[in-house]
Amino acid sequence: MTFALLTSVITGYGQGIKHNIKIEQALAAIDTAFVKNDTARFNQLMPLEEIQNYYAELVQKNISRKAGAHQVLRISKESAFILLTGLPISGNSGDETNSALHYSGIYLLKKNGTNWQIADRIAFDRLNQIISQHIGLEVKPGEGMAVNDTLTINVKDRNGFAVRLNHRAGLSIVSLNGQKVPYSFDGGLLWVAAPLKQQQQLLLRYSLQVESDDKNVNSGYFGATYGHVRNQYCWHPFFSYSSPNDRAEFVVHCSLPVDYPLSTSLPQTDRTSGKLRFIAARSENPTFALSLYYDKGWQVSRQQKDNTNLVIYATKDFEPARDTLYRYFAETSDILSDRFGPARSTYLGIVQDRSGGGNGWKNRSNNTIISAAKGSYLIVNTPRPRAIFGHEVAHGWTTPSGPAANFLSEGWATYCESYLLAKRYTDTIIKPFFASQRSNYLTGGYEGKTNLNNDYNNSGVSYGKGAWIFYMLEKQLGRERLGAAMRVFIRSNQQDVNNFIRVVSREAGEDMAPMIRPWLENKTIPLLSIRQQDQRLIVRQEGDLFVFPLSISLKLKNGSYANKVIMINSREQSIDVSKIDLESYQADPYAESLFQLKEK
Ligand SMILES: [Zn+2]
């Protein structure tokens, strides 16, 4: 682990900070409590529930901890901003860094009598921006990498500039606008004493040894034959996993031994010269972080469909076979572009990760789909309908950021599955598909736990619930108009949820915010009760309030049926049934809304 704290009192930064013995004591006490297994004591010093929960989990899992650098960034009579860092010791440095960032950060202290106490945590990405990253990279398979990263940043936060970075990075240069700059690097957090200014150049040079523990390969593993660092390994600096403020342009120049093909997760070109391979990559869309994969055994193949290159980074025996992948990719692209216009992306890579063996599609990183040693089926109708590869292709149509970003990426791609499945197996597949998405949501433990707006870490809630929102919009607007709205949204360079709502509203001819927002804000789905009272059928929202159309099928005593649609938009609504001879009723007979019925 690398640690560099130049000075505990930064001169020229947060001017006139004197050594404050009381604050120093308060921080030292927190450091001590962080390391010890005394939850009551820690909670006494750290009143923030989120941090308390994090600490309790580490204690419960028996994960030991190191206290890191702390320092006062700014101080006034009654309050102070401080940097507090620490590190859990759990195995892989990438996982440790991400875990540490639940704790390492900038905090607000308030004076209470003569003592200083933690009052709040300040998101270090709240005002600053990362505009671009130009990375010079030398990859040494089986060992690690040397990184030369020039970030263009906007600093609007008086607390300086802070980013996450793998805590093992051995920094040799930290300079700002060509000058040495005071900084602190500990607990996976790099803090730089940056002044308020736009368009500053932050140069970082560091080496990073990557683990080669073949029992712990998820975030990062560098073997002699193959290896990778996922974005979550934090091998280059970034804020977090969908902060609207670090959608950066990336340019990468990478060199490595000629016999190792490598994917940067971005559109890239290769050339070789003597014993070296040179890769030049550039992001198509702003992004927060990159993944790297290399494998000596790969045969890289390229094919083009319309404007999009499909590049397969895999060994010769990879399954599914290359022509199958290409055919399905071409078919999916045609179906999606017919309805939604051209993809935003011109490059799709399929990258084989042999480190964990097995088969399956693992995840997506920028322009690449990561596969296990072997891929998996592409589309299936039973027992649970999935267009799993089409889902990945569909990601090429949106590049969202900010709140609800995963609704617009995972919810969107899951919704596209319903369309691709319908094209393959006819529309009869749509109901079972959304029934299984509903059941994924309910059995996934998301209800009451997390909402779509804040699903920054992609917990899983955005897939089923997100797809259902698109489906309900489709039912309300019709397939054609939702398709038209998505064409506009996909073309636009403002890939956020506010613009999505604006575009859908324009197509719908009414403000759709009152309908869409509660679905993104509530941590639940509607809980309804329905009862017949006197001459009315009363529908009541028992939980959080939502807005959506609900159809109710009424069976009359003469054997005929009538269908009523009510716009659910308040706590309680009713249908007049005084003029009909009602025998029974059924809510949502066509399974077109997402809700739960309260047991009677
Ligand atoms: Zn996805």
Side-chain angles (χ1 to χ4, degrees):
M1 112 128 234
T2 316
F3 163 56
L5 176 63
L6 294 191
T7 46
S8 65
V9 178
I10 301 297
T11 48
Y13 191 81
Q15 286 145 21
I17 296 180
K18 288 198 216 86
H19 192 68
N20 183 312
I21 190 84
K22 283 286 188 186
I23 289 189
E24 196 50 50
Q25 282 170 354
L27 299 183
I30 296 171
D31 285 347
T32 306
F34 180 67
V35 174
K36 288 190 173 159
N37 286 335
D38 184 343
T39 307
R41 173 65 177 155
F42 183 81
N43 291 352
Q44 192 183 8
L45 299 171
M46 176 60 75
L48 308 177
E49 199 185 326
E50 216 182 295
I51 316 277
Q52 292 179 349
N53 293 342
Y54 169 64
Y55 172 87
E57 196 183 316
L58 293 177
V59 170
Q60 192 233 328
K61 289 184 177 162
N62 216 2
I63 294 171
S64 67
R65 303 164 297 281
K66 283 162 86 165
H70 61 238
Q71 77 180 74
V72 179
L73 304 179
R74 289 196 287 144
I75 185 167
S76 66
K77 252 196 176 128
E78 298 300 323
S79 64
F81 290 92
I82 59 113
L83 188 68
L84 193 60
T85 66
L87 192 68
I89 314 297
S90 60
N92 184 280
S93 59
D95 299 333
E96 288 172 346
T97 299
N98 288 310
S99 174
L101 265 289
H102 291 287
Y103 177 72
S104 298
I106 295 170
Y107 291 84
L108 171 66
L109 297 192
K110 286 262 162 93
K111 206 169 183 180
N112 184 354
T114 59
N115 292 322
W116 290 85
Q117 281 179 344
I118 295 220
D120 205 356
R121 187 173 193 205
I122 310 297
F124 55 74
D125 65 335
R126 62 179 180 164
L127 298 169
N128 297 335
Q129 288 170 300
I130 303 175
I131 307 300
S132 68
Q133 300 205 35
H134 285 212
I135 298 178
L137 181 65
E138 191 191 329
V139 170
K140 298 166 199 157
E143 293 176 41
M145 60 181 94
V147 183
N148 212 349
D149 189 1
T150 303
L151 295 93
T152 301
I153 58 174
N154 288 341
V155 180
K156 300 177 197 166
D157 195 324
R158 292 183 182 279
N159 294 318
F161 180 81
V163 278
R164 76 178 60 201
L165 176 63
N166 187 298
H167 71 82
R168 275 169 73 140
L171 283 162
S172 55
I173 294 179
V174 178
S175 80
L176 190 65
N177 309 317
Q179 308 281 323
K180 271 195 166 179
V181 61
Y183 71 96
S184 154
F185 179 44
D186 208 348
L189 189 71
L190 171 66
W191 175 85
V192 177
L196 297 178
K197 198 179 160 198
Q198 309 277 82
Q199 297 284 322
Q200 304 191 65
Q201 307 292 313
L202 174 63
L203 169 66
L204 306 177
R205 183 172 296 170
Y206 53 92
S207 61
L208 183 54
Q209 300 297 314
V210 178
E211 290 89 340
S212 51
D213 175 2
D214 56 15
K215 300 275 179 306
N216 192 355
V217 297
N218 184 35
S219 290
Y221 165 81
F222 262 31
T225 308
Y226 45 77
H228 63 268
V229 280
R230 292 180 64 181
N231 57 22
Q232 68 192 53
Y233 191 72
C234 311
W235 63 272
H236 66 74
F238 64 99
F239 288 145
S240 69
Y241 298 86
S242 77
S243 167
N245 291 338
D246 69 356
R247 307 297 290 180
E249 306 285 349
F250 278 79
V251 175
V252 181
H253 287 98
C254 171
S255 69
L256 77 169
V258 67
D259 45 344
Y260 285 90
L262 178 144
S263 158
T264 58
S265 76
L266 299 178
Q268 64 179 53
T269 54
D270 287 41
R271 71 182 172 84
T272 60
S273 170
K275 291 184 167 166
L276 289 178
R277 174 185 298 269
F278 296 93
I279 294 164
R282 182 182 280 273
S283 55
E284 268 185 335
N285 300 107
T287 185
F288 64 102
L290 314 182
S291 304
L292 306 174
Y293 287 79
Y294 65 81
D295 190 327
K296 216 174 174 173
W298 283 345
Q299 289 188 357
V300 179
S301 60
R302 290 182 177 76
Q303 278 172 304
Q304 197 167 346
K305 164 67 188 163
D306 300 331
N307 293 323
T308 308
N309 286 291
L310 178 68
V311 184
I312 299 172
Y313 300 82
T315 52
K316 209 175 159 192
D317 58 350
F318 183 73
E319 290 170 16
R322 279 163 213 245
D323 57 342
T324 307
L325 284 168
Y326 178 69
R327 194 167 12 91
Y328 186 68
F329 170 71
E331 190 185 306
T332 305
S333 298
D334 283 340
I335 293 170
L336 293 176
S337 47
D338 277 357
R339 185 169 169 210
F340 302 115
R344 292 181 64 77
S345 166
T346 61
Y347 187 101
L348 180 67
I350 295 175
V351 176
Q352 178 193 34
D353 170 14
R354 291 199 284 164
S355 66
N359 61 349
W361 306 111
K362 298 177 85 164
N363 57 280
R364 187 180 172 103
S365 179
N366 299 309
N367 290 65
T368 56
I369 299 164
I370 314 304
S371 157
K374 284 191 160 72
S376 178
Y377 57 83
L378 304 177
I379 188 163
V380 69
N381 59 343
T382 181
R384 283 174 175 246
R386 288 295 316 269
I388 199 155
F389 186 72
H391 171 112
E392 299 298 342
V393 175
H395 275 306
W397 268 255
T398 64
T399 53
S401 64
N406 278 314
F407 157 63
L408 294 171
S409 66
E410 299 305 349
W412 156 256
T414 307
Y415 166 72
C416 285
E417 288 187 54
S418 71
Y419 190 58
L420 296 168
L421 284 159
K423 284 279 177 182
R424 170 70 63 100
Y425 303 108
T426 77
D427 280 358
T428 55
I429 195 87
I430 291 179
K431 289 210 190 312
F433 175 76
F434 280 103
S436 94
Q437 290 304 321
R438 178 182 190 274
S439 124
N440 287 352
Y441 172 81
L442 290 172
T443 57
Y446 307 117
E447 178 71 358
K449 291 272 162 50
T450 174
N451 69 11
L452 298 189
N453 271 345
N454 294 317
D455 184 32
Y456 288 104
N457 283 335
N458 196 15
S459 65
V461 68
S462 295
Y463 294 75
K465 189 178 178 184
W468 260 100
I469 299 172
F470 279 99
Y471 185 49
M472 288 186 287
L473 287 171
E474 178 191 303
K475 289 293 155 200
Q476 230 177 316
L477 273 69
R479 220 178 232 187
E480 276 307 306
R481 280 156 79 207
L482 181 62
M486 285 312 294
R487 273 199 295 281
V488 174
F489 178 70
I490 288 159
R491 256 204 323 273
S492 106
N493 284 325
Q494 200 189 333
Q495 293 279 301
D496 63 48
V497 77
N498 292 333
N499 192 37
F500 171 79
I501 291 172
R502 207 156 32 235
V503 165
V504 171
S505 299
R506 209 176 299 139
E507 191 60 40
E510 62 175 302
D511 182 9
M512 296 298 283
M515 180 197 156
I516 297 171
R517 296 250 184 240
W519 286 96
L520 307 177
E521 285 160 8
N522 292 335
K523 296 177 177 176
T524 53
I525 62 174
L527 178 63
L528 302 181
S529 68
I530 305 175
R531 66 181 198 279
Q532 195 177 349
Q533 194 178 320
D534 305 325
Q535 299 301 310
R536 305 198 78 81
L537 208 52
I538 298 166
V539 182
R540 186 179 160 80
Q541 299 202 60
E542 300 283 352
D544 294 326
L545 295 183
F546 290 80
V547 176
F548 64 105
L550 179 73
S551 68
I552 298 184
S553 161
L554 307 173
K555 187 180 183 191
L556 311 188
K557 288 195 171 131
N558 66 10
S560 69
Y561 287 86
N563 201 47
K564 293 260 179 194
V565 178
I566 38 175
M567 196 65 191
I568 302 288
N569 56 15
S570 60
R571 177 64 68 197
E572 207 170 88
Q573 281 152 280
S574 64
I575 301 173
D576 181 359
V577 289
S578 61
K579 299 202 170 52
I580 56 176
D581 222 357
L582 187 63
E583 184 179 298
S584 63
Y585 55 86
Q586 188 196 350
D588 193 32
Y590 308 110
E592 291 175 346
S593 303
L594 182 63
F595 66 94
Q596 292 191 91
L597 264 188
K598 195 175 178 183
E599 307 286 330
K600 281 176 191 156

